[in-house]
Amino acid sequence: MKLSFLQPLFARPGPWASAYLDTSRDVEDPDRVIARRWRHLRDDLTAHGADPATVHALHAAVGTDDDLPGRHGQALFATRGELVLAEELPEPPVRDTAGLETLPDALPLVVQRAPDVPYLELFVGRTEDGDGIRVAARTGRWPAGRPDPDPAVRQTVPVEDWPLTAPQLAGDLSDLADRGAAEVLVLGRDPGDPRTAEVLVHHMPERLRSDLVTVGTARPGGTPGQAPLEELLARELGGRLNAADRACLEAYRVQRSRDRTACEGTAAVVGALRGARAAAVLVNDPPPSPGCLWAGPEEPAGATLLRAAACSGAELVVVPRGTLALDDGVGVLLRRSDPGT
């Protein structure tokens, strides 16, 4: 995962007010519930010395993700009276938290954005009168990247023209997938007519056909009564890494087999970042507890390592503990020019 989206957080001094808040809309009177949650966090921030202007900047952003249905959350960061970053969380935080620190507490946000898998969402099905075939497609990134609200490709083809039109349409969809760097094809199809979708998929590139996820009749934009696409993707894509992260992890395993102490644990990661030798920082999910990563009396090392990685151009790879448990929950892939890698 590239960390360039965090640069605004490290371009100015603190103190930083960071807040993680459940802003789900699947409850009765969600605005009232969210306001109550925020009130507790606001009081915590004020008690810890946050200035009124900074608290007000956060207050103005709370709940502004009200166009998102269902379960989700917000991560908010402000300093010196200015809201600097507001990000949607695909899942609510385990608990609402807020703090005032020298550095922004962005690690939980980054972990929630992983594994950042780019996909092409495709729906193929008959029109209501049965005489046409509807095709809609758009790209997205799971779990945190919201897909475009309107399909990038939307077309209705007469049934009799489908055998000749499908290959050309597959080419257009392949171009769309390339522009979005899609690694997964997410297919929603008419269960009563699966053959129609298979004709189109057959003409698409092997790299997409080989990573096909079928999600029933889910379609771009969703339909009433169906589980949101995000829930379906969570069941299908949970626990995987994107292609770039898989390559980093494979290279890290090779490096680790040669000299584990040089690339695993807090000391190794800090040393590599200080020497500008880190190509990527690996962090376990769930992330290490703050007590395991502490750089000093005022700065938790998780925030410190994240800032160092972002400012040095290193990427971040979130690795499920079940895939590879790391000492202290962290590791580092050294740059190839570094001796011994």
Side-chain angles (χ1 to χ4, degrees):
M1 179 190 302
K2 295 187 182 300
L3 298 174
S4 54
F5 76 100
L6 294 179
Q7 288 296 342
L9 299 182
F10 305 124
R12 64 189 76 189
W16 283 91
S18 307
Y20 288 85
L21 180 68
D22 184 343
T23 54
S24 299
R25 311 295 299 182
D26 61 345
V27 296
E28 183 178 351
D29 197 355
D31 292 325
R32 180 182 60 82
V33 173
I34 293 168
R36 184 178 68 245
R37 291 178 178 277
W38 164 241
R39 189 162 55 247
H40 293 311
L41 297 187
R42 180 196 62 197
D43 293 345
D44 287 345
L45 286 169
T46 300
H48 284 86
D51 64 275
T54 297
V55 174
H56 179 75
L58 292 173
H59 173 82
V62 170
T64 53
D65 58 346
D66 55 359
D67 59 328
L68 284 177
R71 289 168 46 82
H72 58 272
Q74 277 185 301
L76 306 171
F77 306 89
T79 184
R80 302 176 186 268
E82 181 181 354
L83 179 73
V84 178
L85 188 66
E87 290 284 333
E88 298 158 0
L89 298 173
E91 289 291 330
V94 176
R95 63 186 182 90
D96 299 330
T97 60
L100 187 69
E101 302 287 351
T102 305
L103 294 177
D105 180 22
L107 186 58
L109 165 63
V110 171
V111 170
Q112 274 233 30
R113 288 175 70 101
D116 193 30
V117 177
Y119 63 86
L120 174 68
E121 179 189 354
L122 172 64
F123 169 77
V124 183
R126 292 293 183 105
T127 57
E128 292 183 2
D129 59 14
D131 294 334
I133 296 170
R134 291 182 295 121
V135 178
R138 63 184 179 181
T139 55
R141 303 187 76 91
W142 184 83
R146 296 173 63 182
D148 295 330
D150 295 317
V153 172
R154 187 193 297 271
Q155 189 169 342
T156 300
V157 180
V159 171
E160 60 271 19
D161 295 341
W162 184 244
L164 296 178
T165 304
Q168 179 182 350
L169 186 54
D172 295 339
L173 294 172
S174 299
D175 291 342
L176 175 62
D178 289 342
R179 291 195 298 272
E183 298 176 8
V184 178
L185 176 60
V186 180
L187 176 64
R189 62 186 181 184
D190 187 340
D193 184 22
R195 175 61 182 162
T196 296
E198 291 171 3
V199 170
L200 180 58
V201 171
H202 173 75
H203 291 284
M204 298 187 71
E206 169 62 24
R207 66 178 184 83
L208 290 175
R209 287 188 284 118
S210 64
D211 206 344
L212 173 66
V213 172
T214 302
V215 290
T217 57
R219 64 192 68 184
T223 56
Q226 290 183 330
L229 177 66
E230 288 74 15
E231 294 181 13
L232 299 169
L233 291 180
R235 293 198 292 267
E236 298 290 342
L237 303 183
R240 77 160 63 191
L241 302 178
N242 64 34
D245 287 354
R246 288 198 302 271
C248 280
L249 181 59
E250 182 59 30
Y252 178 79
R253 289 182 185 274
V254 173
Q255 173 187 275
R256 182 180 189 245
S257 68
R258 296 170 179 165
D259 187 353
R260 181 168 178 168
T261 60
C263 63
E264 193 157 311
T266 305
V269 176
V270 170
L273 288 170
R274 283 177 175 168
R277 296 180 290 116
V281 174
L282 286 71
V283 177
N284 271 151
D285 181 19
S289 65
C292 295
L293 286 174
W294 198 260
E298 296 183 355
E299 296 183 10
T304 306
L305 295 181
L306 194 59
R307 178 183 64 175
C311 293
S312 67
E315 297 190 11
L316 189 105
V317 181
V318 178
V319 183
R321 286 187 182 273
T323 300
L324 181 65
L326 303 166
D327 294 343
D328 295 339
V330 292
V332 59
L333 176 64
L334 300 170
R335 299 189 188 277
R336 291 186 180 275
S337 59
D338 188 67
T341 62

